Amino acid sequence: MTELPVDQVRRLVAGAQQDLQDFLSLAGTWAEQHLPVLAAAAVTAALARALDLAPTP
C-alpha cells in the first residue's frame, strides 16, 4: 500500500489532466498538418471524446 497526502494526489491528478490536454493539443496540430481539414477535425474530436476532454480551440 502506498499512502499519499490528499494535496499530493490532487497535484498528481491535475498534472495528468494537463498532460492529456497537452497531448490532445499536439495531436490536433499533427492532424491539421497531415490530414484533410474535415478528417483532422473528426480525428481530434474523437480523440477528445476518448480522453473525456474538451477539444482544443
Side-chain angles (χ1 to χ4, degrees), residues 12-47:
L12 290 170
V13 169
Q17 288 172 327
Q18 185 60 55
D19 288 346
L20 288 172
Q21 193 66 52
D22 292 345
F23 171 76
L24 180 59
S25 178
L26 289 171
T29 299
W30 177 90
E32 289 172 356
Q33 293 172 355
H34 297 282
L35 301 173
V37 174
L38 291 177
V43 166
T44 303
L47 185 55

Side-chain angles (χ1 to χ4, degrees), residues 5 42 45-46 52:
D52 195 23

